[in-house]
Amino acid sequence: MGLDLDYLARTFLLSLRGLPVTLGICASTLLVSLPLGFALAIIGIYRVRVLRKLASVYISFARGTPVVLQILVVYSVLPSLANSLAIRAGWDVDVFALNPLWYAVVVFSFNTTAVLSEIIRSAILTVDRGQYEAALSSGMTGRQAYRRIILPQALLVALPNLANATINLIKGTSLAFLMAVRDVTAIAKIEAARGYEYVESYLAVFMIYLLVCGATQALFTLVERRLGIYRAPVVAF
Amino acid sequence: MDRPFNPGYIIEVLPRLLAFLPVTLGVAAATALLGTLLGFVLAKAKLGRSRVARGLADAYTWVLRCTPSIVLLFLVYYGLPAVAKAAFGVDVSLRHRAFYVVLTFTLFFAATMSELMRSAYLAVDRGQREAALSHGLSEFQAFRRIVLPQAAVSALPNVATSLVALLKEGSLAYTVGLVDLMGQGSLIIARGFGAWSLETYLAAALIYWALTVAIEKAAGALERRLSVGRRGLA
Amino acid sequence: MLSIRDLHKSFHRAEVLRGVDLDVAKGDVVAIIGPSGAGKTTLLRCVNFLERADRGEMHFDGLHLDMHKASGKDVLAIRKRTAFVFQNYNLFNNKTALENVTEGLIIGRGMPARDAEDAARRALDKVGLSNRLDYYPSKLSGGQQQRVGIARAIAVDPDVILFDEPTSALDPELIGEVLGIMRQLAREGTTMVVVTHELAFASDVANRVVFMDEGLVVESGPPDRVLHAPAEERTRQFLRRILPAGAPLG
């Protein structure tokens, strides 16, 4: 056969134009999911009565079903739901003209919030209770203790898992084409179908994902090194 | 969607989807088996002395970790026949679609498993192996009888997580036309010209959810049974 | 200055404190001794509201509190006027030695950063760590960590410092440096309540020793009496058990 390198390069550049969409979805999703995940983690840790039950059912469902199904479910129900809401509220907006990007953010937030809440919860639980007590006896309020002592330490513990979750999120957005979002994968897919050069097209996106994930990983490693200055050096054995 | 949501249809469609559960589970089982074997080879390379083998195994894991399932699935599905034809003159394009699916997810699962095996092996105190050797066990016996059982227990929760991930990602197989649980769902929807799509997807989601919970429960029970004698001092 | 009346505390069904009274006057050094499980640490933690008492009253320099019902505001007020030194140091892992001391001053008490830093430097100088200001706890020895813990306590100029077995997590050769600083503080008239296993320290430094057993104060008084001529049989048994026969105290 032989690869059509020209075509590959062209698709690569073309698909790169979808990168802002891919990264935009990821960033918006994280922006939504981090606070929500944190709230759920706190609910879990402090065993808030009814909310805790609801949260654990939600987390189990969101983590126990394929993302592709979550996409298909949301995409088959959300537009018309939003439309009927808009009509009832008397808004003059055409919901169906809305950028599908927002549906993508809803789905991925639904999924990522559950993942992040588990990561944050277990990270907070790794911080020794004595840290909290020492903060209280220094005259801090519970909130101050969390902000200044507990969370910075928990964040560091959580970073490797957060890196994983972010990479999984980036990979997950490759399914956004199911919602007619024109991200990296969607563009390559269109190109592939048009020119019948499937292998080249998918090789192109494959390379883009490698670059993006590599950069993400590097970023997290950098942050971890930055924030981790207080840790004892790891003794090699 | 101008008709109301009909929860009754979920119940109605469940058995029709469940009829294809064996396909989903069969593909997952085959993948898990092959993936574990390949994962073992990779883990051995990662723990071994050869620097080249270690580097290759690490690079393999890293690349797979960065690749979206759908991209690799398409790459294998479209690329493999082309490669096979060019290299060996074999036409594999007519082979069963499950073949591509199993191959794709085996590549992923092996990467995950190799990492799990590596860290589980390292988590077992090296004194365990040394004690076994000094009691006259061979290297293989020490591994088989002392190290492996302990490593297996510590890896169990992560293995369960990986199996769940495999099952969930495997649902993408319908995009290359495999008729499993998910594929049957989209066939049903297509035949109804898009009617009842929400109910059908929800039914499929419920089945996946039940499978996930079952795997996690089973792993939890197994872990409790296997961790006898593993109680710490505290 | 500080007095506790009828303090009760149970964990699940185990009654750990069964009606404890404690009085501390300004300048007192009170050593609380007794077998493990006597409730010494729980008593101290209840005073700082790290545990919530089931019942009890507290008089603290004009404040009068029901220890079970005390409001968050009262608790904060008490904590700002007391300091706690933990058995396992509990230095903030993500803060340097200096920041460990300034944190409670700036955040807890709203002191301007510059003043807080001056106070922290003085406190760390006093415990002999002025050359370790920028060290993170992970880079300090146990003894140094506990000295930072003490600096953290004295910097806030509290009415009383509560020490919870401050030397029991330390290697034997590091105990001396911590006890030395505590001695120094006692000489300067710092009010201290010390839960300890160091009988020699109790004998030398404390002006009052409280012996606790099974959730009650068995006897208390000057060290000469409680440690050398105890009135209660349980105190005698305890002292016999932990002191080699005929060994002098202190």
Side-chain angles (χ1 to χ4, degrees):
Chain A
M1 60 176 220
L3 281 174
D4 184 344
L5 287 179
D6 253 15
Y7 188 88
L8 199 156
R10 232 169 329 123
T11 320
F12 181 88
L13 292 175
L14 205 59
S15 304
L16 265 186
R17 287 196 207 154
L19 197 54
V21 173
T22 295
L23 295 180
I25 295 174
C26 290
S28 317
T29 299
L30 287 178
L31 226 55
V32 173
S33 297
L34 275 170
L36 287 182
F38 176 70
L40 286 183
I42 294 292
I43 286 171
I45 289 172
Y46 288 95
R47 299 169 184 277
V48 184
R49 244 177 258 160
V50 183
L51 285 178
R52 180 172 144 252
K53 275 269 183 311
L54 287 175
S56 73
V57 170
Y58 154 68
I59 291 171
S60 165
F61 181 79
R63 299 182 42 136
T65 50
V67 183
V68 60
L69 270 172
Q70 294 171 7
I71 290 174
L72 294 171
V73 166
V74 169
Y75 198 53
S76 69
V77 74
L78 195 62
S80 43
L81 197 70
N83 191 43
S84 61
L85 273 178
I87 289 170
R88 204 166 300 169
W91 294 335
D92 190 23
V93 282
D94 183 2
V95 169
F96 295 102
L98 204 67
N99 194 331
L101 216 131
W102 296 113
Y103 300 125
V105 172
V106 170
V107 181
F108 291 117
S109 299
F110 176 81
N111 186 269
T112 307
T113 299
V115 175
L116 292 186
S117 84
E118 293 281 277
I119 292 175
I120 297 171
R121 190 178 64 92
S122 57
I124 290 177
L125 289 177
T126 61
V127 179
D128 187 59
R129 203 182 152 69
Q131 295 286 315
Y132 185 62
E133 294 185 343
L136 293 184
S137 2
S138 325
M140 290 190 215
T141 61
R143 201 179 285 245
Q144 288 169 334
Y146 254 84
R147 237 186 58 63
R148 307 206 37 105
I149 307 298
I150 307 290
L151 290 183
Q153 294 185 42
L155 175 66
L156 185 64
V157 175
L159 271 178
N161 287 328
L162 288 179
N164 256 334
T166 306
I167 288 176
N168 282 338
L169 172 61
I170 294 172
K171 294 194 297 179
T173 57
S174 62
L175 295 174
F177 71 84
L178 292 168
M179 292 175 276
V181 172
R182 284 176 58 92
D183 74 326
V184 174
T185 310
I187 294 176
K189 208 167 175 298
I190 294 164
E191 281 308 296
R194 194 167 60 190
Y196 295 103
E197 308 226 32
Y198 294 99
V199 180
E200 285 83 352
S201 299
Y202 291 121
L203 269 180
V205 273
F206 172 71
M207 278 153 41
I208 294 178
Y209 280 105
L210 281 191
L211 290 174
V212 172
C213 289
T216 308
Q217 184 65 65
L219 196 70
F220 269 96
T221 310
L222 203 73
V223 172
E224 194 179 353
R225 211 168 294 160
R226 250 299 176 51
L227 293 180
I229 39 167
Y230 66 79
R231 279 204 284 216
V234 177
V235 182
F237 58 90
Chain B
M1 194 167 46
D2 24 347
R3 43 161 204 85
F5 174 59
N6 178 4
Y9 190 78
I10 297 180
I11 314 281
E12 209 174 295
V13 81
L14 266 178
R16 292 166 68 193
L17 293 179
L18 283 172
F20 286 81
L21 182 60
V23 180
T24 296
L25 291 181
V27 166
T31 307
L33 190 69
L34 294 172
T36 305
L37 292 177
L38 180 56
F40 184 77
V41 175
L42 287 168
K44 254 197 111 170
K46 287 178 185 181
L47 292 163
R49 257 174 231 158
S50 157
R51 211 176 257 197
V52 180
R54 210 184 318 147
L56 284 176
D58 283 339
Y60 173 86
T61 308
W62 185 82
V63 168
L64 269 283
R65 178 171 172 243
C66 291
T67 311
S69 308
I70 191 100
V71 172
L72 188 66
L73 183 58
F74 286 160
L75 214 46
V76 167
Y77 182 69
Y78 293 112
L80 191 70
V83 171
K85 196 155 198 181
F88 312 106
V90 191
D91 188 4
V92 294
S93 61
L94 291 175
R95 291 279 153 82
H96 199 286
R97 292 168 200 275
F99 170 75
Y100 302 104
V101 175
V102 171
L103 176 58
T104 302
F105 290 103
T106 293
L107 295 176
F108 278 117
F109 198 65
T112 324
M113 284 307 277
S114 71
E115 270 305 285
L116 282 187
M117 290 177 190
R118 191 185 67 90
S119 54
Y121 179 84
L122 291 177
V124 178
D125 189 78
R126 59 153 62 159
Q128 295 287 319
R129 174 181 150 268
E130 288 169 0
L133 294 181
S134 70
H135 275 257
L137 272 67
S138 73
E139 192 73 64
F140 177 73
Q141 287 167 330
F143 176 74
R144 165 77 192 72
R145 303 191 54 84
I146 308 296
V147 178
L148 185 61
Q150 297 183 44
V153 177
S154 78
L156 199 56
N158 291 328
V159 171
T161 310
S162 312
L163 282 176
V164 168
L166 166 63
L167 207 58
K168 291 195 301 182
E169 293 293 296
S171 64
L172 292 175
Y174 87 97
T175 57
V176 296
L178 179 72
V179 185
D180 60 351
L181 173 51
M182 188 70 197
Q184 166 69 355
S186 38
L187 279 182
I188 291 175
I189 291 165
R191 280 195 211 114
F193 301 104
W196 312 118
S197 56
L198 175 61
E199 289 83 350
T200 310
Y201 290 139
L202 280 177
L206 285 178
I207 297 174
Y208 276 106
W209 191 16
L211 287 175
T212 304
V213 172
I215 290 176
E216 281 168 357
K217 286 261 188 295
L222 193 60
E223 195 190 358
R224 270 192 300 282
R225 271 199 44 196
L226 290 180
S227 42
V228 250
R230 202 165 160 259
R231 295 276 136 76
L233 291 171
Chain C
M1 178 191 64
L2 167 68
S3 72
I4 305 284
R5 285 290 167 272
D6 197 29
L7 180 57
H8 287 259
K9 174 71 188 172
S10 302
F11 291 106
H12 305 295
R13 258 178 231 127
E15 259 194 304
V16 181
L17 297 177
R18 303 187 294 155
V20 171
D21 297 344
L22 178 74
D23 290 281
V24 182
K26 194 166 164 39
D28 264 356
V29 176
V30 178
I32 303 177
I33 61 167
S36 45
K40 307 173 302 256
T41 290
T42 306
L43 166 61
L44 216 57
R45 289 168 61 85
C46 283
V47 172
N48 212 226
F49 292 92
L50 294 176
E51 304 288 353
R52 187 50 78 113
D54 298 332
R55 183 141 58 96
E57 274 180 79
M58 173 187 273
H59 285 268
F60 187 92
D61 209 20
L63 267 149
H64 179 199
L65 300 175
D66 178 327
M67 292 179 76
H68 180 60
K69 295 196 194 120
S71 70
K73 216 178 93 202
D74 289 334
V75 169
L76 203 59
I78 298 285
R79 284 185 182 144
K80 284 184 182 175
R81 298 171 61 175
T82 57
F84 202 100
V85 176
F86 294 85
Q87 179 177 353
N88 49 358
Y89 335 129
N90 286 344
L91 294 192
F92 305 130
N93 296 322
N94 56 332
K95 306 277 174 190
T96 62
L98 188 71
E99 289 166 344
N100 258 280
V101 183
T102 55
E103 198 69 10
L105 293 169
I106 299 174
I107 306 305
R109 287 165 183 77
M111 187 185 276
R114 178 164 304 192
D115 299 348
E117 201 164 298
D118 288 343
R121 278 174 199 281
R122 278 198 300 277
L124 283 163
D125 189 39
K126 194 159 183 179
V127 299
L129 288 175
S130 40
N131 56 346
R132 292 284 186 279
L133 300 181
D134 294 329
Y135 280 52
Y136 284 100
S138 60
K139 301 275 168 60
L140 298 171
S141 74
Q144 289 170 334
Q145 288 191 55
Q146 191 58 297
R147 279 149 67 195
V148 175
I150 294 175
R152 187 164 70 173
I154 57 180
V156 300
D157 193 22
D159 294 342
V160 54
I161 305 180
L162 310 166
F163 289 86
D164 182 17
E165 305 194 18
T167 56
S168 55
L170 293 175
D171 289 336
E173 73 272 17
L174 300 177
I175 291 177
E177 60 186 79
V178 171
L179 289 182
I181 288 164
M182 292 171 64
R183 261 174 231 272
Q184 168 75 19
L185 291 177
R187 265 201 297 278
E188 293 168 4
T190 313
T191 313
M192 300 159 50
V193 179
V194 187
V195 170
T196 185
H197 292 300
E198 300 285 331
L199 292 190
F201 175 80
S203 169
D204 284 2
V205 182
N207 64 332
R208 218 145 50 73
V209 173
V210 173
F211 173 69
M212 283 181 70
D213 194 13
E214 294 181 350
L216 289 169
V217 172
V218 176
E219 69 177 299
S220 75
D224 279 347
R225 192 164 61 70
V226 178
L227 293 176
H228 300 282
E232 297 289 327
E233 177 55 28
R234 268 196 283 175
T235 317
R236 277 200 288 272
Q237 271 178 3
F238 170 73
L239 292 173
R240 258 204 306 277
R241 248 202 335 269
I242 68 169
L243 289 176
L249 261 182

